Amino acid sequence: MRARLQKFLKRLKQENLDGFIVSSPANISYLSGFTSCDAYLLAAKKEIVYFTDSRYAQEVKPKLKRWASLKKINGSVFEIIANTCRDLQLRRIGFEGRHMAYAEYRKIKGYLRPGEYLIPTHSLIESLRQVKDAGEIEKIREALKITGLALQFVRSFIKPGTKELEVAAELERFIRYNGAIGAAFDIIVASGPNSAYPHHRPGQKKIREGELVLIDIGVDYFGYKSDLTRVFFSDKIKDLTRRIYDIVLEAQRKAITKIRPGEEIARIDALARNYIADKGYAKFFGHSLGHGVGLETHEAPSISANFGGVLLPGMVFTVEPAVYLTGKFGIRIEDMILVTKKGCEVLSGFVHK
Ligand code: ZN
Ligand code: ZN
């Protein structure tokens, strides 16, 4: 955690910033090393200040020992932040352009004095978060372990007559009983034609004989997330379903085998996309191939055609090719990959060298 703060302070210096107001809960969690909500963090070379109110103050106090001071908010948090900036003699104060609400920005600005500036920034902390350290990877592994067990457990509930919502409820209960704080996002259980909607919300629909069931589930393990999709079907499934399943699986394999440090991210997306296109299903795969996972379910890097840059060891992201045939069914297969020093590891399964 110390190392993360040091890295961030170095980054601030490069950006010519004296201090930085962090308002995104995930970014505060990242810098503080514990799950934070309803807080602000002011990072400056001289001092790190954590702002929160009486609901959380007692709980976080021992966790801030030796690296940050705590300011309990009563009254306007924005006035307190602005005053603290003045006490620390900060003139160029960065903030997260994507996360601070316009109303908050105006309030803080209103309390600042002439010569003190709020400077918008983009993804300063998010870019650091792309590469995970050993502690983070450990938590992600644990999150995935629970997710894998949940998918195994739920198999017996996937049968004709069961409602999608009932399957989702069983999963939700299971992950909490097995150590997760909760689901990372609303669990998707989509049966039959519903699986053609990438983000279907499970409902009262009952699973019918011969239908496939797509489950997309992630858990939250001490702030770290997982994200996996599996499609379940019986041997009696139609030939077309089987054929599409094999295409999607092969597309995933093609992308995964090329994941290694230095590889262009856009190329990984292209490998899976081109294979699906060659099979004649280009227009049925609309979303990007994957996304980073960590303190948020969707974070950098985006595994897509437009994301510049190359893979780095320590990156963790999903590879989730899909084919959606509206009115019929959809197949998505999603795994989480860790870029290792030489290649990659499928965190949810086998190892690629
Ligand atoms: Zn997913
Ligand atoms: Zn995903």
Side-chain angles (χ1 to χ4, degrees), residues 216 227 291 297-298 318 320 334:
D216 188 346
D227 187 7
H291 52 85
T297 308
H298 293 101
T318 68
E320 46 181 309
E334 176 177 31

Side-chain angles (χ1 to χ4, degrees), residues 185 188 198-199 214-218 226-229 291 297-298 318 320 332 334:
F185 50 87
I188 297 172
H199 275 186
L214 180 151
I215 295 180
D216 188 346
I217 177 177
S226 58
D227 187 7
L228 277 186
T229 305
H291 52 85
T297 308
H298 293 101
T318 68
E320 46 181 309
R332 176 169 68 254
E334 176 177 31

Side-chain angles (χ1 to χ4, degrees), residues 268-322:
I268 301 300
D269 178 273
L271 281 165
R273 198 169 302 280
N274 293 347
Y275 180 76
I276 289 172
D278 285 349
K279 296 289 168 187
Y281 292 97
K283 63 174 184 186
F284 303 101
F285 175 32
H287 55 71
S288 56
L289 183 65
H291 52 85
V293 186
L295 285 163
E296 288 173 293
T297 308
H298 293 101
E299 58 180 51
S302 163
I303 309 300
S304 64
N306 321 320
F307 197 87
V310 297
L311 295 173
L312 301 170
M315 281 181 168
V316 173
F317 53 84
T318 68
V319 172
E320 46 181 309

